[in-house]
Amino acid sequence: MRTDLIALAIDNNDYEMLDKLHAREVPQLYWQADYYAVQGIEIIGGYNERLIKHIASSKNEQILDYFTDTFTVPDRAVAKDGSRRTHTFQYPFISELLDQMILENSDFLETALKKCLKYNEMVYNRLKELITTIKNDPYYSEEYKKDMCIMVCKQSFAFIEEGNFVLFDARYSDKNYDGLITNIAHIKKIPKTPILKHLAEELNESYEKIINITEHLEEI
């Protein structure tokens, strides 16, 4: 039913209805969005191939812009002061959407690839910040604790292939904490035109850098 409503809103260019339906989101984000939940987010059952094709074949740039934009979700945990952290996500099936846009020869593909590449790069830089913060923690300042620091960084990172979710739980010796939970994009189909092919390759390279970041901790 919800899928049909989203498809109808796309056909009618009804952006207000897309927002009301939370068309980019899956319900699991609202009760599993927490970077301490290293098991990740289960989105099995949310994928709908018919809807992906419907979005990818749209000729309306605003519709495609909407589904390739990021959005925020409040953390499931509430602080003592009543506040909540927020987490930024992309459409949970963004990689599948990009692949379908390639098949559809979408005119919006170049823009979509650039947006996803920029977001992947932002995620990579944020991970580097979190890792650097742990490495600079006074607790690990003594030489004999350097190996422990690397181990902590490795244990803090998780990648969940189902949905391409990235999690990093950063806790410091002064009982402060920070972290990241989001999803990243890659593609399986490579476009043929030179500029799109280059962007696709850059996107996949950024994806590989993120999922393999713990293999390069000494260089960060």
Side-chain angles (χ1 to χ4, degrees):
M1 180 66 175
R2 179 171 176 266
T3 298
D4 292 335
L5 289 173
I6 292 171
L8 186 61
I10 291 170
D11 289 340
N12 290 291
N13 301 320
D14 192 339
Y15 313 113
E16 185 178 350
M17 182 57 68
L18 289 174
D19 272 335
K20 286 181 178 178
L21 291 168
H22 296 267
R24 291 173 297 203
E25 304 163 32
V26 292
Q28 294 92 326
L29 291 175
Y30 283 87
W31 67 80
Q32 295 180 334
D34 186 338
Y35 45 72
Y36 298 144
V38 293
Q39 74 273 13
I41 296 175
E42 295 179 3
I43 58 170
I44 298 171
Y47 176 71
N48 186 294
E49 185 177 359
R50 183 166 60 90
L51 180 59
I52 296 294
K53 289 180 178 179
H54 205 77
I55 299 167
S57 63
S58 174
K59 302 301 181 185
N60 188 320
E61 287 194 2
Q62 286 181 277
I63 294 291
L64 293 166
D65 201 42
Y66 172 84
F67 279 98
T68 54
D69 266 350
T70 58
F71 58 91
T72 58
V73 170
D75 193 278
R76 63 181 180 177
V78 181
K80 290 181 180 179
D81 63 1
S83 65
R84 293 189 181 196
R85 297 183 298 267
T86 58
H87 307 292
T88 302
F89 294 97
Q90 299 179 96
Y91 182 45
F93 312 107
I94 187 67
S95 296
E96 292 83 356
L97 178 58
L98 290 174
D99 279 334
Q100 190 60 40
M101 289 173 72
I102 292 171
L103 292 176
E104 298 283 346
N105 293 314
S106 172
D107 291 337
F108 195 77
L109 180 59
E110 181 177 344
T111 300
L113 287 171
K114 286 179 177 178
K115 289 172 73 173
C116 291
L117 173 59
K118 183 178 180 180
Y119 190 71
N120 274 14
E121 289 174 340
M122 186 279 292
V123 171
Y124 179 71
N125 289 328
R126 178 64 178 139
L127 287 170
K128 285 173 64 178
E129 287 177 6
L130 292 167
I131 290 166
T132 300
T133 303
I134 291 178
K135 291 175 80 170
N136 290 338
D137 190 312
Y139 181 77
Y140 301 112
S141 61
E142 297 179 61
E143 189 62 34
Y144 78 95
K145 291 184 177 179
K146 297 298 182 185
D147 289 341
M148 185 189 302
C149 176
I150 296 298
M151 180 186 69
V152 167
C153 289
K154 288 182 176 180
Q155 291 175 343
S156 298
F157 177 79
F159 172 69
I160 314 299
E161 189 172 0
E162 174 65 38
N164 297 306
F165 287 101
V166 173
L167 301 91
F168 196 95
D169 169 14
R171 306 193 188 202
Y172 315 120
S173 58
D174 56 1
K175 296 185 180 179
N176 287 330
Y177 58 88
D178 201 350
L180 172 72
I181 177 169
T182 190
N183 58 324
I184 56 176
H186 71 123
I187 56 175
K188 295 178 180 178
K189 304 181 187 304
I190 302 296
K192 294 180 180 179
T193 58
I195 187 168
L196 296 178
K197 182 174 183 290
H198 177 69
L199 286 169
E201 289 171 346
E202 281 195 308
L203 179 69
N204 284 347
E205 286 171 9
S206 67
Y207 176 88
E208 291 295 325
K209 276 203 312 182
I210 292 168
I211 68 174
N212 296 311
I213 195 167
T214 56
E215 296 178 14
H216 307 283
L217 293 173
E218 298 284 358
E219 302 162 19
I220 296 173

